[in-house]
Amino acid sequence: MDLAYLRAHPEQLPTFLTHQRIRETPVGGGSICAASRLTLDDGHSVFAKSWPEQAGRPVPEAFFATEAAGLHWLREAGAVAVPEVLVALPELLALEWIEPGEPSPEAAERFGRELADLHRAGAPAFGASWPGFIGALPADNTPHDGPWTDWFAQARLLPYLRRSVDAGALDGTAAALVEQVAARIDEFGGEEPPARIHGDLWPGNLLWGADDRVWLVDPAAHGGHRETDLAQLALFGGPPHAARILAAYDESWPLADGWRQRVPLHQLHLMLVHAALFGSAHRDSVIGLARATLRGSGRATVNG
C-alpha cells in the first residue's frame, strides 16, 4: 500500500493492518487513543489513531468522524496548519504525518497570526453541524444563535459540572461556585460573534513541526469564543514562546477589553472536563478558577 492507493481505498487500511502488511510503530497519542506511525511501501508515513481494546467499552458512535469533521473545517479556513485527513472510519483515523521539530520564536509568532486568521474565519453559530466530543466525553454541539454567555453556561459549563459531581470528583463547595459562575455569566462581558475555534487547545495539542510551523491536532472544533482557545493555551504551564504567540495574535486581531479577567472563565470549561474524566485531583483547580472568575481578579493569565 502506498499513499496514492491509501487515498483511493481508505477502507482497506484496517485489512492491511490486521494482516501486518504495513509497518506499524507505536507513538505517543494522548490519554484517550492508541497511536502509531504507519510506514507505507513508497516511504511515506501516516499517523493513525484507534480506540484501544483495553478501554473496556466500544468506541463511541461518530467519535472519529467528529474529529475528522473538525479537522476538515479548521483546514478549510486556509489559516493555520492542520494535518490532512486520509482515512476516517468508525474504528480509526489516519492523518498525514507531521515530522516533529523544535519550537522557535519565529514559528510562535507565525502561529499567533495564523490563529487569529482562523478565528476570524468565523462560524455560522455557536456549536457545530456535527456531533461533539471533548476527550472521550460527548459535547453538545447543537447550533445556538447566542448570546455566547448563555450558550457557554448551558453547553460548556453545567453539563460537565453535573458529570463531575455524579462521578464524585467535585463536592458541594465546588458545585456551588460553578453554579454561581453560570448564573452570573452575563456580568463578565466579552460578547462576540462565533469564531472558528479548535476547542481543546491546551499546549499538548500544538505540534511544532520540522517545517517551522505550528500544527493543530486533536480538535474539539466548533463555533465558540476566540478567548477560549487562548485561555486554554495557557493551561498546564503554557506552550513554548507563549508571550510571542499572544503578542502576534493581539497585533493581528486585538483582543477585547477585559479579556485577561475572563481567562479563568474560559479555562473553567476544560478543567471541568478534566474533573469529569480524571477525578477529584482537579477539584482545587476548578474551585480556584471559579473564585477567580467571580471576583474578576484575572489571576490566571496567558502572559507566558
Side-chain angles (χ1 to χ4, degrees):
M1 175 180 278
D2 57 22
L3 188 59
Y5 185 90
L6 179 62
R7 283 196 170 105
H9 306 280
E11 73 285 351
Q12 294 295 321
L13 182 56
T15 301
F16 276 76
L17 289 172
T18 299
H19 294 285
Q20 299 182 341
R21 298 278 302 278
I22 298 176
R23 179 182 169 190
E24 185 175 7
T25 307
V27 297
S31 59
I32 304 297
C33 293
S36 58
R37 179 176 184 171
L38 309 182
T39 304
L40 306 182
D41 291 339
D42 59 1
H44 282 98
S45 289
V46 172
F47 175 84
K49 60 195 301 187
S50 59
W51 190 260
E53 294 180 3
Q54 63 270 27
R57 60 189 188 279
V59 57
E61 185 178 356
F63 182 77
F64 290 117
T66 291
E67 182 172 345
L71 288 165
H72 281 304
W73 189 59
L74 296 177
R75 188 176 168 93
E76 282 173 2
V80 70
V82 179
E84 177 189 359
V85 176
L86 300 172
V87 178
L89 299 173
E91 67 272 26
L92 66 84
L93 184 72
L95 312 174
E96 73 171 295
W97 178 262
I98 307 302
E99 193 64 33
E102 294 298 320
S104 71
E106 293 77 18
E109 291 176 3
R110 178 175 181 176
F111 172 65
R113 294 189 295 270
E114 291 177 337
L115 184 62
D117 289 341
L118 174 69
H119 291 163
R120 199 155 26 208
F126 297 107
S129 61
W130 52 84
F133 284 94
I134 180 82
L137 297 179
D140 184 1
N141 268 356
T142 304
H144 191 293
D145 290 335
W148 170 79
T149 48
D150 178 63
W151 171 82
F152 192 70
Q154 299 302 320
R156 291 299 183 265
L157 294 183
L158 294 178
Y160 301 101
L161 172 62
R162 289 189 287 269
R163 283 181 174 271
S164 298
V165 171
D166 290 347
L170 297 180
D171 58 14
T173 298
L177 285 166
V178 176
E179 287 168 352
Q180 286 182 55
V181 170
R184 294 176 51 191
I185 195 167
D186 289 343
E187 300 175 20
F188 309 130
E191 286 288 353
E192 289 191 4
R196 187 171 305 213
I197 72 170
H198 178 283
D200 189 11
L201 199 61
W202 70 285
N205 284 340
L206 299 186
L207 177 55
W208 299 78
D211 58 355
D212 210 29
R213 293 192 74 183
V214 179
W215 294 71
L216 294 186
V217 297
D218 294 340
H222 62 275
H225 199 302
R226 62 188 181 124
E227 291 176 10
T228 298
D229 271 355
L230 293 169
Q232 291 177 347
L233 198 58
L235 287 167
F236 312 119
H241 311 296
R244 287 179 179 256
I245 293 173
L246 178 60
Y249 183 103
D250 195 47
E251 181 180 353
S252 180
W253 189 11
L255 290 156
D257 290 345
W259 70 267
R260 293 183 185 275
Q261 285 68 45
R262 289 186 292 272
V263 168
L265 170 63
H266 289 276
Q267 291 179 337
L268 186 55
H269 161 56
L270 200 55
M271 203 52 60
L272 286 167
V273 169
H274 275 72
L277 281 171
F278 305 120
S280 60
H282 297 281
R283 171 187 174 275
D284 290 348
S285 295
V286 168
I287 288 175
L289 290 172
R291 284 177 171 162
T293 299
L294 289 167
R295 65 174 174 260
S297 70
R299 179 175 58 191
T301 67
V302 292
N303 291 26

